[in-house]
Structures are given as structure tokens and as C-alpha cells.
Amino acid sequence: MGQIEDLRAFVRIVEFESIGKAAEAAGIAKSAMSRKLRLLEERLQTELITRTTRQWALSDTGREFYDRAVDILAALDEAEAQVRCDSRSLSGDIRLSVPLHFGRMVLAPALLDFAAAHAGLRLTVDFDDRIVDVIGENYHLVVRVSQPPDSSLIARKLTETRHVLCASPHYLARNPPIETPADLHHHRIIQFGPARHASWTLQSPTGAKTTVRLLAVLNSGDGAFLIDAAASGLGVARVPDYLADPEIRTGRLVRVLHSYGHEPRGVHVLYPATRHLPVRVRVLLDFLVRRTRDL
């Protein structure tokens, strides 16, 4: 089992982005954790993690191997759980919190498939944009768009999302063209959140960043409402791509300034570093990582 333990050590190091933190979580010495990584790299005859006194980064090979390692360990854990439970399915409770619209648009199909494949599980999913207290409210996993600076939580990245600018074809046909960020000053702005003064930063194809300050004519904290407002011809909205893309594909909305990009926002699944992760939760975690990997 030494090779499997070395594999688990590598996955844990990647998730913590630190040999020392991974060793602390595993309850072993940092030197022992480092030795497991070294033995694995020697056996594979390649460097998985580039490390110096000041820097730490996965190599390209290490990134690919990590994805495979997660799949292998998930399959092994599930097989062991089935033997221990003398059952062909996992059992027990899993509580997770997911963002409302990202959860409904992106995660819901995966969660339904997972629930169908594991009938012995009792899955409780809260669709809510509220920042929950993971430990205090007894959640096993939470999904958040943008990783919060919370050292008590371990983060696994699911995917990335970006904002896009869009408006209805009817609105664009009746208003001045939008060819540069400055052109937005001549348009009605639909803004997420309560601030009437919008500040949108866009990056040109050459990498130059431009910030435009705009006055919103409509505000809301509900992304789906902003989509409906833009589709109704009320102005230009900045919304997450997972909300806009279905409407763009149907022609209900048109993307504007598509050559100008926004900084990506990471979507992470989080769980407490101080809490043992049950096998059933680990299996769900790895399942979500696999399902969202290519989004």
C-alpha cells in the first residue's frame, strides 16, 4: 500500500498547496510527507511539483497526473466503502450549500446524477447565495464563486467563470454601436448589486486594461432578473457567462465587446481542514471535480 499512500500524499500536497500544511493535516512530520513525494517522483522518473525556497507550482505533468490520481483514489475509496458497508452503494447524509444560479444552471444536473447513482445516500442541497458558516451550520461541502480568504477551509477548484456584456438585438438595433469600452457611456447600464455607480474593468486583446465608470439605470442582486431585463431591451448588462450563454445561443441576447475580457473568477468547493472527510463526501467531491473539469 506504500504506492497508494504516496499517491494520497501527492494529492493532499496539491490540495493544500504546501507540504507542511499537508503533513500537519495528515498528522505526520513534514520530512515524511516530503519523502513520500520524492519517492513518487523517483518512481515516475519525473518532477511533479517544482519547488524552491520561495515558490511552489505543479508541473504540466504533475497537473495531468493529479487529475488521474484523484480519479484513482476516488474509485479505490468507493470500492473500500462498499466492502466495509457490505453494500453496493454508499450511505449516510451529505449536506452541501451551493450558489443559487450557478447551482441551478451548472451543478444541478451533476447532483441529480450523483443522487440517482447512490440511492443509499441522503443528500441535502441548499441553493443560496448566502455565505454560510460551514462548521457552525454543519455543512460537509460548500461551493463558492471566488475563493474566500479563509484558512480554516480547504479549497478544490471546480472551474472558472467570467462576466460577459450583453444586450437584446432590439436594444442594439435602436442604439449607437458599442465598439470600445468608452461607447458604454452612451448606453443604459444594468448593474448587479445596489451601487448606482458601476465600475467595469475590461481587458483588450492586447492585454491593456480599461476601467469605465458608469451610472446604472437598473440595479438588482439577482442575476436571472438582470438577464430578463437585458432581454427585454432595457440596456446592457454584465452577467456571469453561465447565465448569459444559454440566452446568447437562442439569440435572445447578443454579446457585446466580446473581444474585451474580464478577469476569471474561480469556483471552488470548500470543506473544513479540521474535519475528517467521510468517504461518501470525498466521492461526491471528486465527482463534482470531474463533472465540471471541462466547463
Side-chain angles (χ1 to χ4, degrees):
M1 294 296 288
Q3 293 184 9
I4 294 298
E5 291 308 311
D6 293 346
L7 201 62
R8 289 192 189 279
F10 168 66
V11 168
R12 191 180 292 268
I13 290 168
V14 173
E15 292 177 357
F16 278 94
E17 297 187 347
S18 165
I19 293 175
K21 291 180 180 178
E24 182 179 355
I28 63 175
K30 181 179 178 180
S31 58
M33 183 65 73
S34 181
R35 182 173 182 273
K36 290 178 182 294
L37 175 59
R38 187 178 71 254
L39 289 174
L40 180 61
E41 290 179 324
E42 289 176 354
R43 188 161 59 249
L44 297 174
Q45 297 184 354
T46 188
E47 184 180 59
L48 300 173
I49 297 177
T50 303
R51 48 207 183 271
T52 67
T53 55
R54 292 174 176 258
Q55 294 183 330
W56 185 101
L58 272 176
S59 66
D60 291 340
T61 301
R63 188 173 294 104
E64 294 176 4
F65 186 71
Y66 169 77
D67 291 337
R68 295 291 299 276
V70 167
D71 292 342
I72 291 169
L73 292 175
L76 177 63
D77 286 344
E78 187 165 11
E80 288 182 350
Q82 290 173 352
V83 172
R84 284 198 303 270
C85 298
D86 193 24
S87 169
R88 296 193 62 82
S89 64
L90 299 172
S91 62
D93 295 307
I94 303 179
R95 282 176 45 82
L96 68 156
S97 172
V98 300
L100 176 59
H101 295 302
F102 183 84
R104 291 291 301 156
M105 298 291 292
V106 180
L107 296 180
L111 291 171
L112 292 175
D113 287 346
F114 185 83
H118 300 282
L121 288 173
R122 292 178 296 276
L123 197 62
T124 300
V125 187
D126 291 335
F127 292 86
D128 196 338
D129 290 327
R130 179 176 63 91
I131 302 299
V132 302
D133 179 350
V134 182
I135 297 176
E137 298 181 54
N138 199 33
Y139 283 101
H140 292 100
L141 302 172
V142 301
V143 176
R144 290 178 185 163
V145 179
S146 292
Q147 180 182 348
D150 189 338
S151 60
S152 68
L153 301 176
I154 298 174
R156 286 276 301 277
K157 189 173 183 179
L158 295 180
T159 186
E160 291 182 341
T161 179
R162 287 175 170 81
H163 282 115
V164 298
L165 304 183
C166 53
S168 72
H170 177 72
Y171 174 86
L172 293 174
R174 296 171 61 90
N175 287 278
I178 307 174
E179 298 176 348
T180 69
D183 293 334
L184 292 170
H185 290 291
H186 307 296
H187 288 265
R188 295 170 59 85
I189 301 300
I190 301 171
Q191 166 75 350
F192 180 86
R196 302 297 285 184
H197 292 276
S199 180
W200 295 352
T201 299
L202 302 115
Q203 185 170 316
S204 75
T206 64
K209 292 184 179 180
T210 300
T211 299
V212 287
R213 304 197 191 310
L214 307 162
L215 183 63
V217 299
L218 178 65
N219 293 74
S220 176
D222 188 309
F225 177 74
L226 299 183
I227 288 284
D228 289 339
S232 298
L234 297 182
V236 179
R238 185 182 69 164
V239 290
D241 51 9
Y242 57 84
L243 284 176
D245 285 349
E247 308 297 331
I248 292 172
R249 284 194 293 268
T250 64
R252 190 170 177 232
L253 290 175
V254 175
R255 187 172 174 182
V256 299
L257 293 179
H258 52 82
S259 62
Y260 287 81
H262 287 81
E263 289 289 337
R265 305 175 71 201
V267 181
H268 296 82
V269 60
L270 311 170
Y271 59 93
T274 57
R275 180 183 292 172
H276 170 69
L277 202 62
V279 171
R280 64 185 183 277
V281 180
R282 168 67 68 177
V283 172
L284 173 57
L285 171 61
D286 294 335
F287 177 82
L288 292 176
V289 170
R290 291 194 302 272
R291 282 290 293 264
T292 57
R293 181 180 298 154
D294 299 323
L295 293 177

